[in-house]
Amino acid sequence: MTLSREPHAPADLQASEGGPLAGLRVLDLSAYVAGPFGCTLLADLGADVVKIEPPTGDNLRNYPSTLAGACRFFVGVNRGKRSLVIDLKNPEGLDTLRSLVARADVLVHNFRPGVAERLGIGYEELSAGHPRLIYAGLSGYGESSGPLQARAGFDQVLQNMTGFCVAQAEPGATPEVVYGSVIDYYAASMLALGLTSALYARERTGRGQRIAVSLLGAALCAQSGRFVWAEGEAADVDRGTRSTGVNAIFPTREGHLYISATTPHFWRALCRHIGRADMADDPAYDTPQKRVARQDEITRCIVAGLAAHTAEEWEARLAGEVPCSVSRPIEEMFEHPQVQAEGHLATYRHPEIGSYRSFRTPIQFQGTPLVQPRPAPTLGQHGEEVLREAGLTPARIAALRDAGAVG
């Protein structure tokens, strides 16, 4: 089934067969957000992703949620996967994992550095018998011998460490967290990029390799435009991007409107629309630098002008002339015509929470069309079928369950 433009098409619960990564098997041993979502991006592209969880499940499953029957974050982060429970503290569980690795293309984990090796499932051990294996470790701070290497990494901890929170706040104000796991999601994209690049390299060399991604690296990479220090500059030089003129969220008669009027064309159009055409070509405001210097004065004029209409009315009036948007909650995206036109939504059927609508895929392929991903799995939902595909007999599967090695 190829992607339909119909936004409410039911999800197929069978294995995905389309997409550029169809036929690839990914073992996802990671938990929380960054690692699992990196694997979800591969599932979106057609890979068969098997989420391998401990008997208690990915800890994200147990996070507080207003969604009845499951954690909303887990459901959104883990679409497109199958779930198998393996106890990696059980020797028979480790043997079972190794048998799955023999048939896999990719393995991903986010254990702290050294844990996989202590379990006997490090890259050297697994690649010795499977040289085509792509092996990815995602960590908080990297796999070097640096002073933070052994620490667990968390999105908002890394935000505070790397400058995100200071950059969000006004100078001198209390730093502000960017909610929404932005570093986790960026690291997930870096993980998916690294994995697909390694798969491409394998097509040319015939060999797999180990790749490493960290939240620290992702957090700094996401700030590449700010993370530049020229010789001779002061360490605390202003690295922000706010000082470009009119570039902020403003109140209106009802609701808030973001406006980016940083070019001469956009500035003149904004002045005309808010009834201040006199400011458009006034030499006092004719460059971004001058507008920054008079930012408080300009803000007062814009707020006064915007009070004439609601945010939605202004969005319609400025459309095509000044970049802007109403500040909307994500709930409005479920019915937004552009979101629906792009096919970003799908309806999934889940055995515990029933029918739900959620994101489908950010990419469309003309030559290798994607299928709609399966819903996020329940814990161990596909254990029997995955183990049978690995060649285990029903009797062997039962014995492993009795031993507590698999769920």
Side-chain angles (χ1 to χ4, degrees), residues 74-138:
F74 179 90
V75 169
V77 164
N78 287 282
R79 64 176 176 269
K81 302 178 184 179
R82 299 190 286 172
S83 173
L84 165 65
V85 170
I86 298 182
D87 185 354
L88 297 181
K89 297 178 181 178
N90 184 310
E92 290 191 276
L94 283 170
D95 287 342
T96 302
L97 174 63
R98 293 187 185 101
S99 70
L100 295 175
V101 169
R103 297 167 178 260
D105 297 282
V106 173
L107 182 144
V108 175
H109 72 74
N110 64 346
F111 303 133
R112 295 189 197 187
V115 171
E117 288 73 19
R118 290 197 295 273
L119 288 171
I121 55 172
Y123 174 67
E124 298 301 330
E125 294 92 336
L126 296 182
S127 64
H130 187 355
R132 287 177 57 81
L133 179 68
I134 309 297
Y135 185 103
L138 188 144

Side-chain angles (χ1 to χ4, degrees), residues 12 26 94 99 190 273 284 394 407:
D12 186 351
V26 177
L94 283 170
S99 70
M190 295 297 97
H273 277 284

Side-chain angles (χ1 to χ4, degrees), residues 209-225:
Q209 60 182 297
R210 177 177 184 167
I211 69 170
V213 177
S214 71
L215 298 187
L216 174 60
L220 295 175
C221 182
Q223 301 179 87
S224 291

Side-chain angles (χ1 to χ4, degrees), residues 31-45:
Y32 295 105
V33 177
F37 194 68
C39 294
T40 289
L41 294 174
L42 302 187
D44 285 347
L45 303 185

Side-chain angles (χ1 to χ4, degrees), residues 57-70:
D58 182 337
N59 285 337
L60 189 60
R61 289 185 182 273
N62 303 315
Y63 270 43
S65 174
T66 56
L67 179 64

Side-chain angles (χ1 to χ4, degrees), residues 242-247 261-268 270-271 279-299 302:
R242 296 184 181 202
S243 54
T244 55
V246 179
N247 182 29
T262 57
T263 69
H265 171 75
F266 297 148
W267 164 249
R268 286 192 291 270
L270 176 63
C271 291
M279 297 174 64
D281 296 306
D282 189 322
Y285 314 108
D286 63 359
T287 68
Q289 292 77 13
K290 291 179 180 179
R291 292 194 286 273
V292 168
R294 295 172 174 257
Q295 195 157 20
D296 291 344
E297 173 188 338
I298 290 173
T299 296
I302 293 174

Side-chain angles (χ1 to χ4, degrees), residues 44 49 85 95 144 160 169 173 185 197 212 215 219 221 229 237 255 285 297 299 332 338 349 355 362 400:
D44 285 347
V49 178
V85 170
D95 287 342
S144 70
N160 277 276
Y185 283 115
S197 298
L215 298 187
C221 182
W229 186 5
V237 65
Y285 314 108
E297 173 188 338
T299 296
E332 292 191 21
Q338 189 63 36
R349 295 195 183 103
S355 176
L400 288 171

